[in-house]
């Protein structure tokens, strides 16, 4: 597996490289967001580990630029752990967050978890469904709201497709974390709630199909 480590601090890049190479990963380094965008366009990486606060181009801007051409999983390194920062990152399609200072072993586990999720969560059953003005094309990974294509993050698609495949079934937050994010995901219930909020915003009036089960979780009811 090939990963790109992006951080303006050489010591952090060195530590991540040492642990990643010990795990058998191939590692490239970039010292700022601009360099990361260039490298990500030129090569295919399995995971990108990227700091947020960097000179020339910050991590969020770099991720947004990379997302225009590549769907590579991105793990953000952040000195800030506020919910707003995470929500903003998730809206850009960031897959996971690690707050500094971090444990290199934990980061390696997150890298492994993200790569596994991306390879196993993708829908495999060709199916297209319509619920009133909501069209869901699982095979094509597309969603249309009243004929207009919805612009959603990869995790919103994964979450919606799982809910729809299990429609009318009550799903706990733990079950959603396990199936959509992976059983070894290091997040918590708020991760599910944050993405449900984003997904409902994307679905507009058809947010009504995602029902909150107080104290338990959610279900797609149609």
């Amino acid at each position: 597996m090939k990963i790109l480590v992006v951080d303006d601090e050489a010591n952090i890049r060195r530590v991540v490289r040492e642990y990643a190479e010990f795990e058998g990963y191939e590692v490239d380094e970039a010292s700022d967001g601009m360099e990361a965008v260039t490298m990500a366009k030129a090569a295919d990486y399995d995971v990108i580990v990227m700091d947020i606060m960097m000179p020339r181009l910050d991590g969020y801007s770099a991720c947004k630029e990379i997302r225009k051409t590549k769907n590579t999983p991105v793990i953000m390194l952040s000195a800030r752990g506020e919910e707003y920062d995470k929500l903003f990152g998730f809206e850009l399609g960031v897959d996971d967050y690690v707050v500094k200072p971090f444990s290199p072993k934990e980061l390696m586990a997150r890298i492994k978890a993200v790569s596994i999720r991306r390879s196993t969560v993708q829908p495999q059953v060709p199916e297209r469904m319509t619920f009133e003005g909501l069209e869901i094309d699982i095979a094509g990974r597309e969603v249309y709201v009243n004929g207009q294509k919805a612009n959603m993050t990869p995790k919103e698609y994964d979450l919606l497709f799982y809910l729809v495949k299990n429609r009318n079934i009550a799903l706990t937050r733990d079950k959603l974390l396990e199936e959509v994010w992976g059983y070894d995901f290091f997040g918590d219930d708020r991760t599910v709630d944050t993405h449900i909020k984003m997904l409902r915003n994307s679905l507009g009036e058809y947010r009504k199909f995602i029902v909150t089960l107080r104290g338990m979780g959610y279900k797609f009811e149609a």
Side-chain angles (χ1 to χ4, degrees):
M1 188 164 75
K2 189 173 183 179
I3 68 174
L4 175 62
V5 180
V6 190
D7 200 300
D8 58 323
E9 295 185 44
N11 188 52
I12 289 181
R13 297 200 307 272
R14 178 186 60 79
V15 170
V16 175
R17 171 186 281 277
E18 287 179 356
Y19 276 81
E21 289 181 342
F22 181 78
E23 294 288 337
Y25 302 149
E26 183 180 346
V27 183
D28 284 344
E29 296 181 24
S31 59
D32 60 61
M34 198 74 74
E35 186 180 3
V37 171
T38 300
M39 294 177 69
K41 287 182 177 179
D44 290 325
Y45 294 98
D46 295 289
V47 178
I48 298 175
V49 178
M50 183 151 51
D51 188 30
I52 293 177
M53 303 302 291
M54 294 185 293
R56 298 183 68 197
L57 194 67
D58 65 88
Y60 286 138
S61 300
C63 179
K64 188 175 182 179
E65 192 64 29
I66 291 170
R67 280 283 181 264
K68 292 179 180 178
T69 57
K70 298 286 181 71
N71 197 29
T72 310
V74 175
I75 297 176
M76 281 293 192
L77 300 179
S78 171
R80 302 178 299 179
E82 287 84 355
E83 184 176 2
Y84 172 79
D85 292 323
K86 291 187 176 182
L87 178 58
F88 183 69
F90 285 141
E91 288 176 343
L92 290 178
V94 170
D95 292 78
D96 204 351
Y97 263 87
V98 176
V99 178
K100 295 180 179 179
F102 59 88
S103 159
K105 289 184 179 180
E106 179 184 333
L107 177 59
M108 293 305 109
R110 287 177 183 253
I111 289 173
K112 186 178 295 184
V114 164
S115 63
I116 291 174
R117 292 201 300 271
R118 279 297 181 95
S119 64
T120 59
V121 169
Q122 303 299 328
Q124 298 179 8
V125 181
E127 195 173 356
R128 188 182 185 105
M129 291 166 283
T130 301
F131 305 95
E132 295 181 16
L134 177 64
E135 294 181 58
I136 301 172
D137 181 0
I138 293 180
R141 285 184 70 81
E142 293 180 338
V143 175
Y144 294 87
V145 178
N146 293 327
Q148 297 294 315
K149 185 176 179 180
N151 183 24
M152 303 195 302
T153 67
K155 197 55 64 183
E156 281 181 83
Y157 284 116
D158 292 337
L159 179 57
L160 176 60
F161 294 157
Y162 185 77
L163 286 167
V164 169
K165 284 182 174 181
N166 295 277
R167 56 191 175 278
N168 300 321
I169 297 175
L171 300 167
T172 65
R173 290 177 174 83
D174 286 343
K175 180 66 174 177
L176 290 170
L177 276 174
E178 178 182 335
E179 297 295 336
V180 180
W181 278 266
Y183 70 92
D184 47 2
F185 179 65
F186 290 88
D188 53 29
D189 290 354
R190 289 174 295 180
T191 299
V192 176
D193 294 338
T194 297
H195 281 79
I196 287 288
K197 181 179 179 180
M198 292 163 52
L199 178 57
R200 281 173 166 162
N201 289 337
S202 297
L203 297 183
E205 64 184 284
Y206 303 112
R207 61 190 295 133
K208 65 184 181 181
F209 292 130
I210 300 178
V211 178
T212 299
L213 305 173
R214 188 173 299 277
M216 179 186 174
Y218 302 92
K219 69 175 175 178
F220 189 94
E221 189 171 85

